[in-house]
Amino acid sequence: MKFTFQIPTKVYFEKNCITNHLEIFTYCGSRAAIVTGKHSAKASGALDDVTNVLKNAGIAYEVYDSVENNPSIETVEDITEKVKAFKANFIIGIGGGSPIDASKAIAVLAANEMHAADLFKNDFTKALPIVAIPITSGTGSEVTPYSVLLRKDMETKVSFGNSLTYPAYALLDPGYTVSMNDKTTVSTLIDAFTHVMEGYLAKRSTIFSTMMSLEGMKTFAECIPGLKSKKYDYNFREKAAYVSLMGGLVIAQTGVTLPHGLGYCYTYFHQIPHGIANGLFVREYLKRCETTVKEKVDVVLKLLGENSVDSFGDTLEQLIGKPPKLDQEQIEQYAKLSLLQAGSISNTPFELSEEDIARVWEKQNDHAE
Ligand code: NAP
Ligand code: FE
């Protein structure tokens, strides 16, 4: 047996955890930069809870609410300038994965004299402490070191992160996810599912990550009736937040695999949300996995209560629809860009040549609208 396990983030998972744990903000610093998106932090109630706690604790703060979905390096550079001018000594990221990932980049850029493009070298040695407050149930970014940023110069998304970019604290209150609309609820939960599933099948899976993957897939299965009926009661929200947390804990150890690597093209060129983009590859992915790790795919299907990959593929199609039809030029372009995701490809539990990747993209058209 051989494994490593690292999770330096202290996690609080409870209703009202922000107001219940005022002290953690005072441990982090005296000047807070709140990094978030345009609407959701307000709509969810999380921003009000945070600012009330900061006022009570006498912590100065500024709110930067310009993080877009799939944050770009230009956005994080722009916010960093303001964070430096304010002399913030810690960052609070409130949001889905986009604001939390942006927080990690800003935490590094604000602590170092460097350009955003150099983040991807991963050789920085300082970062401001981060408090992560997830309000989607999807990325698990609150417990991972990864920050995924959009690189317009490369026409794809690229991630960075090292042990310094784990948030110091993760405050999960499933109540903040209630304001998500149907599409974001589905997309983010499918993302969380792909994390636990991909981590389970990944070459880098460990005995520890497997434990959390199994728990995550079992709990995701309990969410499927709610996803189908669109009845999102508190019990559903709590379970979804738990799957998302499991997903983050898993991929922090294992990394992601093919669906994540290829899904970026659907997001970049077709504006398909991250979770749906990954989900669209799951049917073909599991079929390919059956050729090398069939016993593991059987476990996935059993946990999901499905009797074949195609029956699960049909369940997913009912929830997220079909992939867009691509022409030959797009297939060739996406296959080429997919090769940039070398980490995800090498972690996939079957061998993939350049031609194989092009074939995966062609195969997607068999299921297209
Ligand atoms: P997101 O991009 O952060 O947010 C999607 C949309 O949902 C936004 O319009 C957002 O509004 C809205 N929203 C979020 N929470 C809401 C709430 N509680 N109520 C109402 N609306 C809400 O979505 P995400 O799927 O969580 O994050 C996706 C990003 O994370 C991608 O860039 C992906 O690549 C990355 N990712 C990171 C990791 C990691 O380990 N770091 C893992 C997987 C994916 P606002 O515009 O107002 O914010
Ligand atoms: Fe993801």
Side-chain angles (χ1 to χ4, degrees):
M1 197 183 292
K2 182 178 177 224
F3 64 88
T4 55
F5 181 77
Q6 183 185 26
I7 161 70
T9 307
K10 182 158 187 181
V11 178
Y12 294 85
F13 188 109
E14 67 187 69
K15 232 178 186 171
N16 303 320
C17 57
I18 292 178
T19 33
N20 291 348
H21 296 288
L22 177 149
E23 72 286 355
I24 66 118
F25 296 94
T26 61
Y27 300 157
C28 287
S30 54
R31 299 180 72 77
I34 302 177
V35 175
T36 188
K38 260 277 152 301
H39 309 288
S40 58
K42 296 166 200 108
S44 64
L47 184 60
D48 275 350
D49 287 349
V50 167
T51 53
N52 286 334
V53 158
L54 296 180
K55 281 177 204 152
N56 287 340
I59 295 172
Y61 66 86
E62 275 190 358
V63 179
Y64 310 103
D65 64 359
S66 56
V67 181
E68 73 277 44
N69 295 353
N70 310 301
S72 63
I73 53 175
E74 290 78 9
T75 298
V76 298
E77 276 183 322
D78 180 51
I79 298 177
T80 300
E81 290 212 358
K82 296 170 184 151
V83 169
K84 280 186 165 178
F86 177 59
K87 297 193 174 15
N89 49 21
F90 74 109
I91 312 283
I92 303 174
I94 308 177
S98 296
I100 296 179
D101 284 6
S103 300
K104 294 174 185 174
I106 294 161
V108 175
L109 294 174
N112 298 277
E113 286 306 321
M114 64 188 283
H115 295 293
D118 292 330
L119 286 168
F120 305 97
K121 294 180 188 159
N122 265 333
D123 63 359
F124 46 84
T125 52
K126 286 182 287 181
L128 298 183
I130 303 162
V131 179
I133 302 174
I135 60 175
T136 59
S137 292
T139 69
S141 179
E142 67 277 9
V143 290
T144 75
Y146 313 125
S147 169
V148 187
L149 301 177
L150 193 79
R151 291 208 48 174
K152 293 174 191 159
D153 56 330
M154 292 168 76
E155 294 190 307
T156 189
K157 293 166 81 174
V158 186
S159 65
F160 79 93
N162 65 21
S163 56
L164 293 171
T165 48
Y166 278 96
Y169 294 96
L171 299 174
L172 285 97
D173 180 342
Y176 295 134
T177 66
V178 170
S179 52
M180 273 193 291
N181 64 22
D182 175 48
K183 190 168 180 187
T184 311
T185 301
V186 174
S187 167
T188 54
L189 187 48
I190 300 295
D191 185 29
F193 164 71
T194 56
H195 295 160
V196 288
M197 183 271 290
E198 288 180 44
Y200 177 62
L201 298 168
K203 280 190 186 153
R204 287 170 51 201
S205 71
T206 69
I207 192 163
F208 245 71
S209 66
T210 293
M211 214 161 55
M212 293 179 287
S213 281
L214 296 175
E215 175 76 354
M217 289 189 284
K218 178 174 133 294
T219 313
F220 173 75
E222 292 165 10
C223 295
I224 292 177
L227 284 173
K228 284 183 174 166
S229 65
K230 305 193 182 302
K231 289 209 172 71
Y232 307 130
D233 57 13
Y234 187 78
N235 186 36
F236 172 93
R237 296 292 184 189
E238 196 171 66
K239 284 187 172 165
Y242 183 62
V243 179
S244 174
L245 174 64
M246 289 298 122
L249 293 171
V250 167
I251 61 168
Q253 314 306 315
T254 66
V256 286
T257 65
L258 194 69
H260 267 74
L262 303 195
Y264 292 146
C265 285
Y266 280 150
T267 301
Y268 190 88
F269 294 104
H270 301 264
Q271 291 73 50
I272 296 178
H274 174 69
I276 295 180
N278 303 332
L280 292 172
F281 286 98
V282 167
R283 186 195 296 257
E284 284 307 320
Y285 179 65
L286 287 176
K287 282 190 180 173
R288 293 292 297 269
C289 287
E290 274 188 317
T291 63
T292 51
V293 285
K294 181 164 186 331
E295 48 320 315
K296 280 192 160 189
V297 176
D298 287 345
V299 170
V300 174
L301 295 174
K302 191 164 177 225
L303 286 168
L304 296 172
E306 301 277 2
N307 52 29
S308 69
V309 169
D310 269 321
S311 75
F312 180 49
D314 292 345
T315 301
L316 273 181
E317 196 172 292
Q318 196 189 328
L319 296 171
I320 63 175
K322 294 168 184 273
K325 192 95 186 156
L326 305 177
D327 60 30
Q328 195 51 37
E329 202 180 314
Q330 286 170 317
I331 289 174
E332 282 167 23
Q333 182 191 11
Y334 300 174
K336 212 159 134 202
L337 284 170
S338 302
L339 296 175
L340 297 173
Q341 306 295 336
S344 308
I345 290 168
S346 64
N347 198 23
T348 295
F350 46 85
E351 292 312 311
L352 278 158
S353 64
E354 277 186 48
E355 295 74 43
D356 290 331
I357 290 172
R359 237 170 276 132
V360 175
W361 278 108
E362 276 163 16
K363 202 86 186 119
Q364 284 297 97
N365 264 351
D366 293 351
H367 307 287
E369 330 233 28

